[in-house]
Amino acid sequence: MTVENRVGTLLNPCRYVTGSGDFCRNAQARPDAFLYVVRSPHAHAIIRSIDQTELMSHAQKKDLLGVFSYEDLEAEQIGGIPHYRDFLNNEYSERHRSERPILAKNKVRYVGEPVLFVVAKKIELAKDFADMIHIRYEEVPSVTALSDAIDPKSPRVWSAAPGNICLRWATGDAANVEKLIASAKHVVALKATNNRVLASPIETPAAIASYESDSETFLLVTPSQGVFLQRNTLADSVFRVDRNKIQVFSGDVGGSFGIRGAVYPEHVMVLFAARKLGCTVFWDCDRSESFLSDSHSRDQLTIGQLALDENGQFIALNIKNHANVGAYLANYALFTPTMGSAPMLCGAYRIKNIHYDVSCVYTNTVPIDSYRGTGRAEVSFFLERIIDMAAKQLGISPVEIRKRNFICSSEIPYETPTGITYDSGNFEEILDLALTKSDWTEFGERRKRRARSGVISGIGLAYYVYNSGSSTGEFARLRLEENATLSLFVGTQDSGQRHSEIFENITAKELGVDNNCVQLKQGDTNLLPFGFGTGASRSMQIGTTIIPKVCNRFLTSLAAFAALKYRLNQLNIRVSPGKLVDIGSGLEFRVSDLLESAAFDLRNCNPQNPIYRQLLDQTATIEVKNPIAYPNGCHVCEISIDKDTGNIEILRYTSVDDFGVILDASSALGQVHGSVTQGLSQALYEEIRYNDCGQITNGSFLDYHLPRAGEVVRPETSFVQSYPCKSNALGCKGLGESGTVVAPAALINAVVNALSEFGVCHLEMPATPFKVWNAMQPKKPMC
């Protein structure tokens, strides 16, 4: 099986949603076999026996290609899936270890855990054959709710993990923070849950694999946001082969949101089957199965206290966080609640004394992994909620309490107590602009007017700062093709963010050629030696830093080509976008003309061809000392509530964001609208629910509520570009996660504002109609 990188060649701008893109299911490779996964129906059980008698006696078993279990993988020394970021317990003691297996060995620990996989010539046959395999389980007690798992009396997911604790991690001076809280004039307490959600990309997971026995090489085609990380994990930890023996390819990707950057058990299954059976193997996943095969996200229980002095100044923040990691450690499960959250604990505020204590907790549930805004979203929600509660308790406005505690623009660059430095921004200016754009001061009149019609309304704001960018290195390559076009290879990965248009435009501008001369190619480990994929809003910050570097090298090599071809002294050639000038003879060369000339020589086997080909295929690497930027902004949400049903209607949503320099306005708008939609969706609708038996009770879109077209809100969006960041040449800050970081708090702050007349001071996400209606019923105050 071979693949061709066609990213950028499919010009239909609607290809992502019409299904006509270069998706895994549309790959040129046609499978010879289909893989079906047999999954555990129990949350916690011992596997007593596996009986294949009925299957082996079936008349049509000639169409069965194989049934594989843990023992088959173990016989060929297939490793489990490691997690990527490790941590030690407090006092640097060892934590509990739980490598994620490809298939269950002796025991299953969550509903949906893979136990066997069946390979057949047709997927329908594979499913039928799977039904003929009888597995006898002995159920044992399970625990699925995070609040239950931390109870010492609860069942253990792992016998060697007392209290189901995988990791205990902390940062800050606990004794000092406790002392400050004890002596503070005001102390505000909050207990809040960050609900478990599913990323729900438009493209469900899938994988196609083949194996070339002569060269002993694998090929995996799968939707991905980081093919190199997947390749390295598969080679180093799973199959234990040289990295050049595995090619991972990804064309168009129908969304990733953090969950497509890692290796899943099914990736290993198709590769193993392809090598074992000598054929191309395809695994497909319907939407219901994706609720069990895709990682889940969020699911944290946070308890904290904010201490303030008599002037409403923040003195100290103490947070105890319990983070669900599921039954096994997925890739960034430990990173998300620890170093994914800790740097941003103070947000946009002067909070000099912070203590943060994290317990990562096992449950009998699908493993938890990163999701858009991972770590930053959870801590931002808690911080913005407790600040609003503090404003209410002290009798001052949510605006005033923030202004009293903002880091001033005159203090920037500002080093936070969590060890990071904000290098640009003006938080008060952004807040004031958001208040103006949202008509904040006139809301009181709007509320009174609606109240006369029996309508309850509320308004809320939230301010966010998050750290965007990750991985200090990146690789790029720029190559002239024989048709006089330029192929740009970059180690990031487009999963719907329009990298192709942006990166191609930057390249064309740097070289001084037409945009249609450049074609971006990504998502193929055979094109580059390494790359760090897409995540944490890093692509624009890192990608736009390395592209000018590789373009400069290419222009220099183009000067060398001109010197060879026209017998000039290269030292006398001056390069600039669009043209090269020989200062000795006064000759000028258009870059586009030189590319045409060089391409002609490549096509027609000029004797200098090898030299030209080497000159006009340039690479560049970068190692950025500080790849992090700090986008920030203020979002304002105005809502109404139907008193009879508890239904929430978002009347206005205003966002003012500082993303530094905006490279492509339409792409930035799309990213903000999409991330705000996801953030509001978590706050209003989404929540994976388990029953006491460990079954997901809303495992399809019939029950798991994603916003419908009529429920999607289009934010009134403004960008402030006056504060470029200092960490990259173009001054751009990440922006793709902004809405998921800030929108949940803005919405819940608005809901609590509307329900304050009913004694409500906090409402857990999602703010479903029943939950809101119930909060309005006569009862003791929820405070």
Side-chain angles (χ1 to χ4, degrees):
M1 179 178 73
T2 59
V3 293
E4 175 190 356
N5 193 305
R6 298 184 291 163
V7 175
T9 65
L10 301 170
L11 301 180
N12 175 13
C14 298
R15 67 182 190 270
Y16 296 118
V17 294
T18 60
S20 59
D22 191 18
F23 297 107
C24 182
R25 291 166 182 79
N26 298 343
Q28 305 97 308
R30 301 266 56 89
D32 306 310
F34 296 83
L35 186 147
Y36 179 74
V37 182
V38 178
R39 300 182 184 275
S40 167
H42 303 292
H44 205 188
I46 299 168
I47 301 172
R48 289 303 184 191
S49 64
I50 299 175
D51 184 358
Q52 299 186 36
T53 304
E54 181 184 352
L55 174 61
M56 291 300 101
S57 63
H58 194 268
Q60 299 298 321
K61 70 178 183 181
K62 65 180 185 299
D63 293 319
L64 174 67
L65 301 179
V67 178
F68 302 99
S69 66
Y70 177 87
E71 287 74 19
D72 297 300
L73 302 182
E74 189 175 45
E76 299 196 18
Q77 299 181 326
I78 302 299
I81 301 172
H83 58 280
Y84 298 140
R85 299 292 294 271
D86 204 356
F87 295 86
L88 294 174
N89 275 320
N90 297 346
E91 290 78 45
Y92 306 103
S93 62
E94 279 294 317
R95 62 166 182 81
H96 179 263
R97 304 275 162 179
S98 62
E99 183 179 69
R100 187 176 185 180
I102 309 305
L103 296 171
K105 177 186 180 182
N106 303 328
K107 180 184 271 194
V108 293
R109 289 183 168 84
Y110 66 93
V111 172
E113 180 173 359
V115 179
L116 302 169
F117 62 92
V118 179
V119 184
K121 293 181 180 179
K122 294 182 179 180
I123 186 59
E124 297 81 7
L125 290 173
K127 292 178 179 179
D128 290 343
F129 292 143
D131 288 338
M132 299 176 195
I133 302 172
H134 302 288
I135 305 174
R136 187 168 66 88
Y137 297 94
E138 178 187 334
E139 286 191 76
V140 295
S142 62
V143 60
T144 53
L146 175 59
S147 56
D148 294 336
I150 58 180
D151 186 337
K153 298 178 182 178
S154 291
R156 291 189 188 181
V157 180
W158 294 88
S159 59
N164 289 309
I165 300 298
C166 167
L167 172 73
R168 285 292 306 274
W169 185 91
T171 184
D173 187 337
N176 180 51
V177 167
E178 289 174 3
K179 180 180 178 181
L180 290 168
I181 289 175
S183 61
K185 177 71 173 178
H186 304 282
V187 177
V188 183
L190 173 63
K191 180 179 180 180
T193 298
N194 213 282
N195 41 321
R196 175 182 282 240
V197 297
L198 188 72
S200 306
I202 194 171
E203 181 184 16
T204 54
I208 305 174
S210 65
Y211 181 75
E212 295 292 338
S213 57
D214 292 343
S215 59
E216 298 181 332
T217 56
F218 294 92
L219 170 62
L220 174 66
V221 179
T222 191
S224 170
Q225 67 188 75
V227 291
F228 292 94
L229 180 58
Q230 290 177 321
R231 188 268 318 264
N232 297 349
T233 301
L234 289 165
D236 299 348
S237 301
V238 180
F239 288 94
R240 300 182 178 95
V241 297
D242 290 340
R243 291 180 176 179
N244 61 11
K245 294 295 185 181
I246 298 180
Q247 178 188 4
V248 180
F249 174 87
S250 187
D252 286 331
V253 178
S256 55
F257 310 126
I259 67 168
R260 292 282 181 261
V263 169
Y264 282 87
E266 293 81 5
H267 294 146
V268 181
M269 295 178 206
V270 291
L271 289 166
F272 177 86
R275 183 173 69 177
K276 192 77 173 176
L277 301 173
C279 62
T280 301
V281 181
F282 179 43
W283 170 69
D284 197 2
C285 177
D286 63 25
R287 185 62 67 177
S288 291
E289 188 180 6
S290 75
F291 277 74
L292 302 174
S293 60
D294 273 342
S295 297
H296 296 175
S297 304
R298 309 293 193 236
D299 204 348
Q300 295 184 12
L301 174 62
T302 309
I303 304 167
Q305 297 168 298
L306 177 65
L308 304 90
D309 65 15
E310 63 276 5
N311 298 315
Q313 301 280 348
F314 301 156
I315 298 173
L317 179 65
N318 191 28
I319 296 179
K320 171 66 177 176
N321 189 22
H322 296 91
N324 196 341
V325 297
Y328 300 97
L329 287 181
N331 310 283
Y332 291 100
L334 297 183
F335 173 79
T336 294
T338 54
M339 288 306 298
S341 296
M344 304 314 304
L345 286 167
C346 68
Y349 311 101
R350 291 188 301 273
I351 312 177
K352 295 183 178 180
N353 302 285
I354 298 175
H355 179 247
Y356 182 54
D357 187 292
V358 182
S359 295
C360 295
V361 183
Y362 290 121
T363 58
N364 292 112
T365 62
V366 173
I368 293 286
D369 207 352
S370 59
Y371 172 55
R372 198 171 191 175
T374 187
R376 288 74 53 85
E378 293 88 334
V379 75
S380 177
F381 175 77
F382 185 87
L383 183 61
E384 291 299 301
R385 281 295 303 123
I386 202 169
I387 289 174
D388 251 38
M389 291 179 67
K392 180 73 172 178
Q393 186 168 315
L394 272 66
I396 58 179
S397 75
V399 172
E400 179 58 30
I401 197 169
R402 286 173 170 82
K403 286 191 173 185
R404 289 185 191 182
N405 290 280
F406 267 157
I407 297 164
C408 299
S409 59
S410 59
E411 298 176 278
I412 294 176
Y414 181 86
E415 185 175 350
T416 73
T418 58
I420 59 177
T421 301
Y422 298 155
D423 66 5
S424 60
N426 188 324
F427 305 148
E428 187 165 345
E429 177 186 323
I430 299 291
L431 173 64
D432 285 338
L433 185 56
L435 298 177
T436 301
K437 295 281 185 180
S438 64
D439 299 316
W440 177 277
T441 56
E442 290 79 35
F443 171 72
E445 289 301 317
R446 296 195 295 274
R447 170 181 261 170
K448 291 177 183 177
R449 186 170 62 250
R450 293 170 190 145
R452 287 194 290 268
S453 302
V455 177
I456 302 169
S457 61
I459 195 168
L461 66 83
Y463 204 99
Y464 75 94
V465 185
Y466 78 90
N467 48 342
S468 68
S470 64
S471 304
T472 58
E474 195 51 87
F475 194 97
R477 179 183 180 191
L478 188 59
R479 182 180 72 198
L480 177 67
E481 307 294 353
E482 292 185 0
N483 63 357
T485 64
L486 292 162
S487 291
L488 173 67
F489 308 91
V490 181
T492 61
Q493 174 64 51
D494 191 337
S495 50
Q497 301 98 324
R498 292 181 59 210
H499 290 183
S500 54
E501 292 95 325
I502 299 170
F503 286 3
E504 289 166 7
N505 290 347
I506 293 172
T507 304
K509 183 178 179 180
E510 291 288 328
L511 297 177
V513 298
D514 290 338
N515 291 354
N516 58 13
C517 291
V518 185
Q519 182 182 97
L520 177 68
K521 296 183 178 180
Q522 301 180 89
D524 188 344
T525 56
N526 278 11
L527 297 178
L528 298 172
F530 70 88
F532 289 96
T534 294
S537 304
R538 72 180 296 272
S539 295
M540 290 303 107
Q541 294 169 221
I542 305 298
T544 57
T545 300
I546 195 171
I547 289 173
K549 183 174 182 179
V550 75
C551 287
N552 183 63
R553 288 192 174 185
F554 189 87
L555 285 174
T556 301
S557 69
L558 196 60
F561 162 77
L564 280 172
K565 188 170 182 66
Y566 300 106
R567 298 182 181 180
L568 302 172
N569 184 347
Q570 184 182 348
L571 297 177
N572 290 334
I573 298 177
R574 300 292 179 263
V575 300
S576 61
K579 68 179 181 180
L580 280 68
V581 178
D582 178 58
I583 59 175
S585 63
L587 289 173
E588 289 190 4
F589 304 92
R590 291 172 55 194
V591 168
S592 56
D593 291 340
L594 287 173
L595 295 179
E596 289 283 357
S597 177
F600 177 86
D601 287 345
L602 292 177
R603 291 194 302 271
N604 293 281
C605 300
N606 185 293
Q608 296 281 4
N609 182 293
I611 299 175
Y612 293 164
R613 192 171 296 278
Q614 181 180 359
L615 281 174
L616 302 176
D617 187 351
Q618 289 297 310
T619 63
T621 60
I622 56 169
E623 189 69 27
V624 182
K625 290 182 179 179
N626 177 21
I628 307 300
Y630 297 95
N632 64 90
C634 182
H635 289 208
V636 180
C637 184
E638 187 171 338
I639 59 106
S640 67
I641 297 175
D642 187 312
K643 186 180 293 188
D644 295 328
T645 65
N647 187 63
I648 295 171
E649 181 184 356
I650 299 176
L651 303 174
R652 292 181 67 180
Y653 192 96
T654 307
S655 66
V656 177
D657 299 286
D658 170 11
F659 299 136
V661 177
I662 302 294
L663 301 177
D664 183 282
S666 62
S667 177
L669 282 170
Q671 289 290 306
V672 171
H673 293 174
S675 63
V676 165
T677 297
Q678 285 185 284
L680 293 175
S681 185
Q682 180 186 3
L684 285 170
Y685 313 121
E686 295 187 56
E687 184 177 36
I688 293 283
R689 297 191 299 270
Y690 281 90
N691 63 17
D692 292 340
C693 297
Q695 302 287 338
I696 296 177
T697 60
N698 57 338
S700 76
F701 285 165
L702 290 174
D703 304 297
Y704 185 84
H705 189 166
L706 289 180
R708 302 171 181 86
E711 296 167 325
V712 172
V713 176
R714 187 175 182 87
E716 302 168 22
T717 304
S718 301
F719 300 138
V720 173
Q721 301 189 57
S722 307
Y723 305 99
C725 75
K726 307 297 196 301
S727 59
N728 63 75
L730 295 181
C732 57
K733 305 173 185 179
L735 55 83
E737 298 161 298
S738 57
T740 54
V741 170
V742 68
L747 185 282
I748 297 298
N749 284 344
V751 173
V752 172
N753 175 257
L755 297 178
S756 59
E757 63 181 279
F758 301 95
V760 176
C761 63
H762 180 62
L763 194 76
E764 296 283 19
M765 297 189 291
T768 61
F770 175 76
K771 195 180 294 183
V772 174
W773 177 87
N774 192 54
M776 293 187 290
Q777 303 315 300
K779 59 175 71 68
K780 292 181 180 180
M782 294 179 66
C783 298

